Each structure stands twice: as C-alpha cells, then as structure tokens.
Amino acid sequence: MFADSARIFIKSGKGGDGHVSFRREKFVAAGGPDGGDGGKGGDVIFEVDQGQNTLNDFRHNRKYIAGNGGDGEKRRCHGADGADVVLKVPEGTVVKDAQSGKIIVDMSGENRRVVVLRGGKGGLGNMHFATSTMQVPQYAQPGKPAQELEVILELKVIADVGLVGFPNVGKSTLLSRVSNARPEIANYHFTTLSPHLGVVDLGESQGFVMADIPGIIEGAAEGAGLGLDFLRHIERTRVLIHVVDAAGTEGRDPVEDVEAILHELEKYSANLLEKPQLIAANKIDAISPEEGAEDPIERLRNTFGPRGMEVYPISAVTGKGVRELLWRANAILKTMPREPVVYESDYEFMPQVEDLPYTVVRDDKGVYVVEGPKIEKMLGYTNLDSEKGFRFFQKFLKTAGILDKLEEMGVREGDTVRMYGHEFDYYKE
C-alpha cells in the first residue's frame, strides 16, 4: 500500500561523561589531572533520497535511536563520538512534532540534509578544571542528555500541475496520454491509492510535472475515506485542473462535481482556492446531445467562467483538445514563480540546561564540602555580606541543583556547609 504519512520515535545520542583521573607515573611525584572529555552523541539526520517516493519503510520500523558518546578516559583520552542515524525520505516530506503539530522541517527546496535532533555534547574531563586554588579537581562534567521526539512524517507530492476530480472521470487516462507516467487504468468506482507523477514534454524545451491527485470524495476535508491524505498533496501544486465527466457516463453531473471539489478544497484550506484553476471537460467523444437539453460545456462555462475558471473540452481517449489545455497550463506556469512551496518551520527546541560540574562530600567532622569551578567563580564576584548578594548566591545553588544534592546526602538544618573558605549553616527556606 502507498504510505504518505507515518508516525515514528526519534532520539539522538547522549554525550559521554568527562573522566576524573590523575597522572600516576614513575618519577612523577604529583601528577596533575588528566581525565579526558566525553564523546559527542550521535545526531538524527533527515536526508532527501531521489530514489524514494513513499514512506513505506517507516511503516515497519518506528523507532530510530542514535549512538551515545563514549566516556572520557585517563591520560586525556577522548571518548568516541556516537553514530549518527540518517533517515532517507522522499523529497516533499514534512516532519512535524506529533504533540503540537508544528512543522520542524520541510524536506523540499534547499533542505536536502537537515539535522533534526543533535546529539548531546560530551562532558569535559577534570583536566579542564584545575586552578591555582584547586589543583586536584575531583569532578568532571557529565555529558549533555539526548533529545527525543515523536514526529509525524507527511509526504506532500511536488508537482507543477495537479489533476483533481472524482474517481473514474479520466484523470489517469489523461496523465498517461500526455506524460511518461503509466498509472493503472480501469473502470474503478473507488479511488486510486497513490498519486502518480509524469513529465509533460511540450517540445521546444518546454514542459512541466503533472500529478494525478487521488480522487476526492465529499467529506474529504473532515477526513472521510482517505480524503485528508489526498488533499495534502494539492498544497504543493501551482495550477489545478479539474477533470470532470462532461458526458455524465457515470450518472454524475459535471457542474455539481466541480462545486463539490471546490467546497472540499475550501474547507481544507481557503488558500487552495487562490491557485489558478482550469476545467478539463473530459469524454466529449461520448456526449450524446438530447433535444432541449443544455450543452454541458456551455453549462460549465456559464457557471465557472465568471469565477475566472476557463473550460477546455477534451477527450483523454482520442486526444482531442488536450494540446490546447496543456499549453494554457504551461502559459499560466510561466507567470508564476518557479520556486516550490516550502513550509517554514514553526517549532522551537527548548535549550538544554548547562550541567555544572561539582562535588559534594562529607568529611570526617560531618562538614559538607562543596567544590566546583563555577562555584569558586561565583564566590569571587558575589558580595555575600549584602542581603541581595546572598540571595543571588542562594538562587544559584538552587538552580544548579546543589541544594537538592545536599538534601539527597542527608544534610540537616544547622549542619555546616563549606565552600572555598566560606562556611554556612544550612537552613531550609
């Protein structure tokens, strides 16, 4: 079955942790810190593959996880970077956040290879945190966490001209006659499942891409049948051609059919009605004029001509009138920008909170000793004698998770906490 949407889970790799170690060599009495950095986590990358035209592969495998970065090691050894995951998709695939429905990226136009989730940055080893006052840092930076998302992939066919209409009105026959596409053609009363694309060559180095958009039924905009799946393909096209059965061989009224399609387009997106639209009154070879009956071609022109929709009587079987229809569509395309419709991203990733390396230990006298490069720096420029400065430092300790760590280690009210020569009595706010 043709698949033009899929729901998958993606996750980047976690960054490797920095390492804590010290040089221990013969004849080196006091080796300095030599803990290496952690490796970067793998990215989740989407890439356009011109050889694909469906999302079928994502129907069977719904979870994609990149590799984690390796932890740093002693002797300044850097952890290995995690392996990336590259998801190859057809051009025109829109990646959306499943929860909010917001667009993350549209794999169209210049978006050929896009990093959607970045792997976590590797943590720094303790060799980076030696200072004049802390020459034996017992801490290293943990790797940044992975990012994860549940996303929806939607394939929106890219074509210059889209053929729309009810099932069995001759769209597939018309496409096969004018292009290199070979859709299956039969007298079906249900709709084709997949859109077919073909290149229309008009000669003189002129032509365009035409798509047979699967048949739309009434109620499609509310999700009846596969309506929403089909309507999304129309958004990419620049010109729409309504194909109707002018002869009424299936007992359908061509004017009512066009009105019904226009109604579905408007309900799905009012912007669709702003596209240039032509009407291909098909099957004129089967029209049997009845005495006193209004000519169906004139009915179509009288109804839709005032709305700016030109009517071209054609026979997709014999080819009569088809050339005029194609050249008119080509002329309209020349007046329009060539750039494909590319949807802008409206999704914002939450920035990751910086992990601050620090240690909290309890010495043999029951004092909680807190150390870390950021803490030392904060104490250097914060005036703890002022109420405002002390409040600022307290907020920093809370935001960095240090107060939670003290609670986790069992600190009680009245216990002493030491930080680089400063001693505090611990009290809950």
Side-chain angles (χ1 to χ4, degrees):
M1 176 181 173
F2 175 83
D4 64 356
S5 66
R7 190 183 185 107
I8 63 173
F9 172 82
I10 56 176
K11 183 178 181 179
S12 63
K14 174 189 175 298
D17 295 336
H19 189 68
V20 176
S21 62
F22 301 89
R23 287 181 61 193
R24 290 294 181 264
E25 299 177 24
K26 197 173 183 181
F27 307 117
V28 179
D34 69 350
D37 302 340
K40 176 185 174 298
D43 299 331
V44 177
I45 303 169
F46 282 81
E47 184 176 88
V48 171
D49 183 351
Q50 297 288 2
Q52 292 190 24
N53 54 18
T54 77
L55 296 171
N56 274 331
D57 291 347
F58 299 98
R59 289 165 54 85
H60 308 294
N61 186 3
R62 297 181 180 273
K63 187 176 288 187
Y64 299 87
I65 301 175
N68 292 330
D71 295 339
E73 298 180 11
K74 60 184 179 180
R75 297 182 180 177
R76 299 176 178 252
C77 288
H78 196 289
D81 291 342
D84 296 334
V85 167
V86 180
L87 304 180
K88 296 189 176 183
V89 296
E91 184 173 7
T93 300
V94 178
V95 183
K96 294 182 176 181
D97 172 41
Q99 185 172 1
S100 66
K102 292 185 176 181
I103 295 174
I104 298 172
V105 65
D106 179 358
M107 300 302 295
S108 307
E110 297 180 356
N111 295 332
R112 317 307 292 178
R113 183 181 171 93
V114 179
V115 177
V116 171
L117 293 184
R118 295 195 177 276
K121 184 179 178 182
L124 299 177
N126 72 330
M127 63 179 179
H128 294 278
F129 302 115
T131 67
S132 58
T133 56
M134 176 51 62
Q135 298 181 10
V136 189
Q138 297 287 344
Y139 41 77
Q141 190 177 36
K144 294 294 190 302
Q147 295 179 315
E148 61 181 55
L149 270 180
E150 191 171 20
V151 298
I152 294 175
L153 309 181
E154 289 185 351
L155 176 58
K156 302 191 179 190
V157 168
I158 298 176
D160 298 306
V161 176
L163 302 177
V164 296
F166 281 84
N168 202 36
V169 294
K171 299 193 307 298
S172 297
T173 303
L174 176 59
L175 182 64
S176 65
R177 168 169 282 279
V178 303
S179 74
N180 56 355
R182 292 294 174 264
E184 184 178 347
I185 300 170
N187 187 25
Y188 294 139
H189 290 268
F190 51 86
T191 184
T192 309
L193 285 179
S194 59
H196 294 284
L197 274 72
V199 177
V200 177
D201 184 2
L202 297 175
E204 304 173 15
S205 300
Q206 298 192 67
F208 50 83
V209 177
M210 178 182 281
D212 168 16
I213 305 297
I216 300 172
I217 60 176
E218 293 181 71
E222 280 82 27
L226 299 175
L228 288 176
D229 293 336
F230 299 152
L231 282 165
R232 67 167 57 97
H233 295 302
I234 299 174
E235 295 180 274
R236 296 284 195 190
T237 59
R238 297 191 290 155
V239 175
L240 294 179
I241 296 179
H242 295 261
V243 182
V244 295
D245 179 0
T249 58
E250 298 293 322
R252 304 194 63 88
D253 182 279
V255 172
E256 292 179 2
D257 279 3
V258 176
E259 292 284 17
I261 296 295
L262 290 173
H263 184 58
E264 294 302 322
L265 296 181
E266 183 178 25
K267 284 194 295 183
Y268 181 74
S269 172
N271 293 333
L272 297 182
L273 295 185
E274 297 177 6
K275 295 178 182 288
Q277 300 179 57
L278 302 173
I279 296 176
N282 192 26
K283 303 186 182 182
I284 58 173
D285 53 303
I287 293 178
S288 301
E290 299 179 6
E291 188 175 348
E294 185 180 0
D295 178 20
I297 305 301
E298 288 305 311
R299 281 187 64 215
L300 287 166
R301 284 175 173 157
N302 292 336
T303 304
F304 300 105
R307 305 189 206 177
M309 299 171 66
E310 302 172 30
V311 179
Y312 287 82
I314 68 165
S315 172
V317 173
T318 67
K320 185 176 180 180
V322 171
R323 182 174 176 81
E324 290 79 3
L325 172 68
L326 298 179
W327 276 99
R328 179 56 182 148
N330 189 60
I332 295 174
L333 289 170
K334 285 184 177 180
T335 67
M336 306 178 69
R338 286 291 306 175
E339 293 78 16
V341 176
V342 179
Y343 299 97
E344 295 293 331
S345 172
D346 56 3
Y347 182 85
E348 293 184 7
F349 286 95
M350 294 297 293
Q352 292 185 342
V353 178
E354 183 75 15
D355 289 313
L356 303 176
Y358 62 86
T359 58
V360 180
V361 296
R362 189 179 184 188
D363 65 15
D364 52 5
K365 296 181 180 179
V367 175
Y368 291 86
V369 181
V370 181
E371 294 179 341
K374 184 72 173 179
I375 302 168
E376 184 180 19
K377 187 176 180 181
M378 287 285 290
L379 286 169
Y381 61 72
T382 303
N383 182 10
L384 298 180
D385 293 331
S386 73
E387 183 178 351
K388 184 177 180 181
F390 190 75
R391 287 281 183 187
F392 175 76
F393 186 66
Q394 273 190 316
K395 184 176 181 181
F396 160 73
L397 295 177
K398 184 175 182 179
T399 303
I402 295 171
L403 297 185
D404 290 338
K405 183 65 177 178
L406 287 167
E407 291 280 347
E408 181 184 319
M409 295 185 64
V411 71
R412 296 180 179 179
E413 291 198 2
D415 285 350
T416 301
V417 178
R418 181 187 302 133
M419 302 181 194
Y420 295 97
H422 296 270
E423 290 193 351
F424 309 92
D425 291 334
Y426 184 82
Y427 290 100
K428 277 190 176 183
E429 287 187 299

